Amino acid sequence: MAQVRIFFATNRKFRKRADGVRFEAEINKPIDCEFRVGRADIELDGQPGNRSYALIAGSVHIYPERRMRSDADCEAIVKRDDLPAEIAFPKAREQALEAAETRERLGSSEMFAEIQTDMRAQACDALLYIHGFNNSFADAIEAAAELADRYRGEGVELLVVLFSWPSEGKLLPPNRYFSDRTAAELSGMAIGRALARLRDLLRDFARLGQPCQQRLHLMAHSMGNYALRFAVRALVWQHAAGGLLPVFEHAFLMAADADDDALEIDDALPKLQALARIAQNIHVYHSKGDRALWASDWTKGNPDRLGARGPRNIERVDERVTAIDCRKVDETEGDSGNHNYFRRRPEVIADVAAVLRGLGPEEIENRRALAPRRFRLDRKD
């Protein structure tokens, strides 16, 4: 059977056991806002378009938080082509080797280097995926594998990297929603820190003459957009000294459980406005038939949702924001809430694939223009 490898970062508390790794619905280190990184393999069963996805038992690997460089690592460092020419002299080389031996390597550096290697080898882009409410770790990583598989079916190869925050993975009782919302907010610092690490590594690769020609994209679903709000805020407030980069080519906000004014530039309370500083293009996929967001709106007392009707006023958001109405294509089998069309409906998958292939908003088939920067997808039976 086919398999997909998913890299991940998480601030979930976890325990290593004889039968694998168990991830909890609890933040690992809320004070330090740390995250750990790893990888896992997911088995694909069935035919394309009608598959099941299952995390392979024992396949989860957690990278060491820190590890000393081995002699082989140090030897590789002093042989690198990007080091100064004087390293070739024996004394300088010996000093460089001694310095390298004392360095520690972060697990995130090791994982990101593997991701970059895979992106180059496969000539593919990478997508950072932040899941939503009611997702266990297994649910989230299987959804990430489904995204990779479905876009491959549209001719777009993606290496999907998951950030899994500690959602409880339970719908009932109703207070689970508020528990997850609190966890999403508290996870913003860890996600922001992960984005800062990614920014710094991109700079390091460029400085060393090793830039990756493939692109990075971002996708947040449902309450993952609420977590993203606090991640962007943390990135701006705490990492502004390092400067912000347009890290992502495209940011896809899917069925966003966020306020409908979250992207408005002149809103007094910072929400998702600064996303335009780290993403070149922002795409808001929404549907007023999304019943999961009705619950967020009516029963939880939240303002109108961005994922229900799109941006409240498109003229008050950054010009790189586009809204795509999915009300005609939001029904999916086994999804009574019409909330997972972003990874189940072929019309939506094809639309995102067209964006990733470089087509402009007006060039994409099956889009109907409603107003400037507003489109609607038609159903294909």
Side-chain angles (χ1 to χ4, degrees):
M1 294 183 182
Q3 295 182 6
V4 172
R5 171 159 290 180
I6 298 296
F7 292 93
F8 65 85
T10 185
N11 62 331
R12 289 179 183 265
K13 188 174 182 178
F14 67 90
R15 295 184 177 89
K16 293 183 178 181
R17 308 190 308 184
D19 59 348
V21 181
R22 177 181 175 84
F23 292 88
E24 308 287 349
E26 182 181 345
I27 292 178
N28 191 29
K29 295 179 180 178
I31 296 177
D32 296 332
C33 300
E34 292 188 358
F35 63 94
R36 295 294 299 274
V37 297
R39 63 174 185 264
D41 296 323
I42 295 81
E43 186 174 79
L44 284 57
D45 187 17
Q47 298 301 312
N50 187 31
R51 294 195 202 271
S52 62
Y53 305 86
L55 176 62
I56 299 174
S59 72
V60 177
H61 169 73
I62 305 291
Y63 291 86
E65 194 165 11
R66 295 175 183 271
R67 72 174 178 85
M68 298 302 295
R69 296 185 188 274
S70 66
D71 290 342
D73 290 331
C74 297
E75 189 71 15
I77 287 173
V78 298
K79 287 183 177 179
R80 274 185 353 207
D81 293 337
D82 51 52
L83 289 175
E86 58 267 22
I87 294 297
F89 294 98
K91 186 62 177 177
R93 184 176 180 279
E94 181 180 342
Q95 292 173 347
L97 181 59
E98 182 179 351
E101 287 175 336
T102 65
R103 296 179 193 168
E104 291 180 321
R105 174 175 291 179
L106 292 171
S108 56
S109 300
E110 189 171 349
M111 186 184 79
F112 286 137
E114 284 189 32
I115 290 172
Q116 190 194 41
T117 298
D118 287 355
M119 289 173 67
R120 283 173 167 163
Q122 301 173 35
C124 69
D125 292 351
L127 175 75
L128 175 62
Y129 170 56
I130 307 173
H131 64 79
F133 165 65
N134 188 31
N135 275 261
S136 66
F137 176 81
D139 292 336
I141 206 158
E142 289 164 7
E146 182 178 4
L147 287 172
D149 183 46
R150 290 188 178 270
Y151 287 118
R152 180 181 297 159
E154 286 290 329
V156 176
E157 194 74 29
L158 285 176
L159 191 154
V160 178
V161 183
L162 168 71
F163 192 103
S164 182
W165 54 277
S167 165
E168 290 196 55
K170 298 178 181 178
L171 280 172
L172 298 173
N175 62 1
R176 298 293 189 189
Y177 176 89
F178 296 106
S179 177
D180 270 14
R181 191 169 169 88
T182 298
E185 179 177 347
L186 293 175
S187 297
M189 293 289 289
I191 299 172
R193 186 173 177 182
L195 293 177
R197 281 289 294 145
L198 179 60
R199 175 204 62 193
D200 293 343
L201 286 166
L202 289 173
R203 282 179 166 162
D204 289 345
F205 288 142
R207 179 176 55 82
L208 295 173
Q210 303 169 340
C212 182
Q213 300 304 313
Q214 277 63 53
R215 304 169 303 169
L216 296 169
H217 313 291
L218 171 69
M219 180 178 290
H221 176 232
S222 187
M223 198 181 285
N225 289 270
Y226 188 66
L228 179 61
R229 163 181 169 175
F230 294 94
V232 170
R233 183 186 297 183
L235 190 64
V236 172
W237 287 359
Q238 296 194 18
H239 303 285
L244 294 179
L245 286 174
V247 177
F248 302 105
E249 179 75 15
H250 296 287
F252 300 96
L253 310 187
M254 301 299 200
D257 190 0
D259 300 344
D260 64 355
D261 63 354
L263 291 164
E264 292 185 11
I265 297 171
D266 55 352
D267 187 53
L269 179 64
K271 296 177 183 176
L272 281 169
Q273 298 88 342
L275 183 59
R277 297 173 64 184
I278 61 173
Q280 298 279 17
N281 305 280
I282 302 170
H283 313 269
V284 179
Y285 287 75
H286 62 93
S287 171
K288 70 174 185 178
D290 188 330
R291 290 193 288 276
L293 293 181
W294 289 1
S296 175
D297 191 346
W298 292 99
T299 68
K300 307 302 188 297
N302 291 325
D304 290 340
R305 304 285 82 194
L306 181 65
R309 298 183 181 275
R312 181 177 63 177
N313 187 339
I314 198 74
E315 295 180 355
R316 294 176 62 181
V317 304
D318 192 280
E319 63 181 7
R320 69 195 72 191
V321 176
T322 302
I324 303 94
D325 188 340
C326 301
R327 70 182 70 181
K328 292 188 175 183
V329 293
D330 62 2
E331 294 182 7
T332 57
E333 185 177 351
D335 176 22
S336 59
N338 297 348
H339 195 52
N340 286 297
Y341 55 85
F342 79 105
R343 61 185 173 93
R344 297 283 170 82
R345 284 297 298 224
E347 297 93 340
V348 181
I349 295 167
D351 192 85
V352 174
V355 171
L356 294 173
R357 283 195 293 267
L359 294 181
E362 306 282 351
E363 302 174 314
I364 299 176
E365 183 184 357
N366 199 41
R367 279 192 182 186
R368 183 193 309 175
L370 302 177
R373 293 189 285 150
R374 287 191 183 272
F375 302 86
R376 179 177 297 163
L377 298 184
D378 288 325
R379 185 185 185 98
K380 287 186 174 181
D381 295 317

